[in-house]
Amino acid sequence: MQKSFLSAAAALLASTSIASADGVLNIYNWGNYTSPELIEQFTADTGIQVTITDFDSNDTALARVRQGGHGFDIVVPTHSYVQQWIAEGLLQPLDDAIVTDRGNIAPQWLNVDFDPGREYTVPWQWGTTGVIVNTSVYGGDINTADIFLHPPAELVGRINVIPEMSDVMAMTVYAVGGDNACTDDMEIWRQVRDTLMAAKPNWLALDYGTLDSYVAGDIAAGVYWNGASMRARLQNPDLAYGYPATGYPVWMDNAAVLADAQNTENAMIFINYILQPEHAAMLSNFARYANGITGSEAFMDEGMRTAPEIVIPEELVAAGRFSPACPQEIQDIRTQIWTGLLQ
């Protein structure tokens, strides 16, 4: 742990404002995504007690915070939503006096388009969205979106699709020949709509909490995140993660302090805490995603460095695309298609 952090933490914990916050911190994050080991260590180091509340989608998180009265201090939105959070005044700038270690952020993740100079956010985890397949059920090519859009007979009725609109829409746009997840080509969107509607009867569900079902073999394939896929494979070696050659989303989730946080200083201390390589590694070792913090690899589990869910095959690297935030008119089209799919 760096001396700069210890000094800042000691000074803040001794201050009147921290005492009035009762040493608590409330984090609003994706489910099953926060390392218990990290939280235990943070509390041991700072005395701050942490409560985690889960959300299951970016839209759910945004809607909840917009309502106010939530009591959360930190939120973890995906990159394509960050500008919306900022524009609506829902986040506050990071305190330079407390968040002193943004220099630990890897260069490619420091001056990002969605938060130039990292004024509001720091990396939490980053990864890809692809497909997961039980290879004891299906032995063909897994690097294809056909796994869920045009599934082979042995997978029909045994497919789950995560109900995360941006990821599913992007993968389908690429699969039907579009080269931009926010394309303004209406013919592409018609093909996306028709393809998804035709595919849905072949699926078992659109659900998030499916890791145990993959491990048990109750679900044989689906759209899934790379880290969750790795966690499943470690419990069932028949599971494999595929990168659709037509294109797949690359994303980054980011920690930010809410504008109406009740424990702002505690939140800033936590933000700086996860910028330390050994602490970022705790997040990765739990959730099985990369984290964007320089030097964290030295503290990661050995398996993280060679995992097929983390190390993208060289020939498929170029198919990964960092999805932008879509203009409102395109977002409306995607929402209309998505609403029809969920009915």
Side-chain angles (χ1 to χ4, degrees), residues 176 182-194 329-334 336-337:
V176 301
C182 297
T183 180
D184 59 3
D185 186 334
M186 291 304 104
E187 178 55 32
I188 291 292
W189 288 116
R190 280 189 285 271
Q191 292 183 50
V192 166
R193 178 198 61 199
D194 294 347
E329 59 270 22
I330 302 302
Q331 186 68 4
D332 290 344
I333 292 169
R334 299 201 311 176
Q336 184 178 21
I337 295 172

Side-chain angles (χ1 to χ4, degrees), residues 33 35 38 124-125 274 279-288:
Y33 199 32
S35 164
L38 174 79
W124 181 270
Q125 305 266 270
I274 62 173
H279 301 149
M282 290 181 183
L283 292 175
S284 293
N285 288 336
F286 175 74
R288 301 298 178 178

Side-chain angles (χ1 to χ4, degrees), residues 255-289:
V257 180
L258 290 164
D260 56 355
Q262 297 177 15
N263 305 288
T264 297
E265 290 170 315
N266 292 1
M268 297 293 177
I269 291 174
F270 183 84
I271 291 289
N272 203 58
Y273 194 84
I274 62 173
L275 291 177
Q276 313 311 313
E278 61 269 38
H279 301 149
M282 290 181 183
L283 292 175
S284 293
N285 288 336
F286 175 74
R288 301 298 178 178
Y289 298 97

Side-chain angles (χ1 to χ4, degrees), residues 53-318:
T53 302
D54 296 345
F55 60 78
D56 60 9
S57 75
N58 280 292
D59 293 312
T60 297
L62 190 56
R64 178 68 184 88
V65 172
R66 277 174 176 157
Q67 293 174 1
H70 47 75
F72 306 131
D73 302 306
I74 287 176
V75 70
V76 187
T78 302
H79 73 277
S80 55
Y81 282 75
V82 167
Q83 279 293 310
Q84 189 170 0
W85 284 83
I86 295 171
E88 294 188 24
L90 299 174
L91 306 181
Q92 61 177 285
L94 299 176
D95 187 336
D96 293 339
I98 304 173
V99 185
T100 57
D101 291 312
R102 273 172 279 188
N104 290 343
I105 299 173
Q108 67 267 35
W109 297 117
L110 186 55
N111 194 32
V112 288
D113 291 343
F114 59 87
D115 184 13
R118 288 292 184 175
E119 182 180 358
Y120 291 89
T121 69
V122 302
W124 181 270
Q125 305 266 270
W126 72 270
T128 63
T129 305
V131 293
I132 183 173
V133 180
N134 189 317
T135 58
S136 71
V137 177
Y138 171 72
D141 179 21
I142 64 171
N143 293 313
T144 172
D146 284 348
I147 293 296
F148 75 101
L149 294 177
H150 306 286
E154 57 265 46
L155 295 179
V156 170
R158 303 184 65 183
I159 297 167
N160 180 74
V161 174
I162 52 171
E164 186 63 32
M165 179 178 72
S166 295
D167 287 344
V168 176
M169 288 290 173
M171 292 175 72
T172 309
V173 166
Y174 305 146
V176 301
D179 61 0
N180 184 342
C182 297
T183 180
D184 59 3
D185 186 334
M186 291 304 104
E187 178 55 32
I188 291 292
W189 288 116
R190 280 189 285 271
Q191 292 183 50
V192 166
R193 178 198 61 199
D194 294 347
T195 299
L196 286 171
M197 293 303 292
K200 184 182 177 182
N202 297 318
W203 304 343
L204 175 66
L206 287 104
D207 196 8
Y208 281 104
T210 53
L211 192 150
D212 291 341
S213 296
Y214 280 114
V215 172
D218 297 332
I219 299 173
V223 177
Y224 215 26
W225 300 290
N226 63 312
S229 296
M230 180 178 177
R231 294 170 75 178
R233 175 181 59 80
L234 291 175
Q235 299 178 67
N236 181 346
D238 289 333
L239 295 168
Y241 182 74
Y243 301 85
T246 48
Y248 56 88
V250 179
W251 47 263
M252 171 169 272
D253 292 332
N254 307 270
V257 180
L258 290 164
D260 56 355
Q262 297 177 15
N263 305 288
T264 297
E265 290 170 315
N266 292 1
M268 297 293 177
I269 291 174
F270 183 84
I271 291 289
N272 203 58
Y273 194 84
I274 62 173
L275 291 177
Q276 313 311 313
E278 61 269 38
H279 301 149
M282 290 181 183
L283 292 175
S284 293
N285 288 336
F286 175 74
R288 301 298 178 178
Y289 298 97
N291 56 61
I293 302 301
T294 300
S296 63
E297 296 84 357
F299 300 94
M300 286 187 191
D301 294 345
E302 182 65 32
M304 290 284 291
R305 303 174 196 177
T306 58
E309 299 88 355
I310 306 298
V311 181
I312 303 170
E314 185 176 353
E315 67 275 14
L316 294 170
V317 169

Side-chain angles (χ1 to χ4, degrees), residues 22-76:
D22 296 325
V24 299
L25 178 66
N26 298 303
I27 299 175
Y28 194 32
N29 199 0
W30 297 84
N32 201 19
Y33 199 32
T34 308
S35 164
E37 179 189 12
L38 174 79
I39 298 304
E40 182 178 348
Q41 188 64 53
F42 176 73
T43 297
D45 288 342
T46 67
I48 299 170
Q49 298 295 321
V50 180
T51 298
I52 309 290
T53 302
D54 296 345
F55 60 78
D56 60 9
S57 75
N58 280 292
D59 293 312
T60 297
L62 190 56
R64 178 68 184 88
V65 172
R66 277 174 176 157
Q67 293 174 1
H70 47 75
F72 306 131
D73 302 306
I74 287 176
V75 70
V76 187

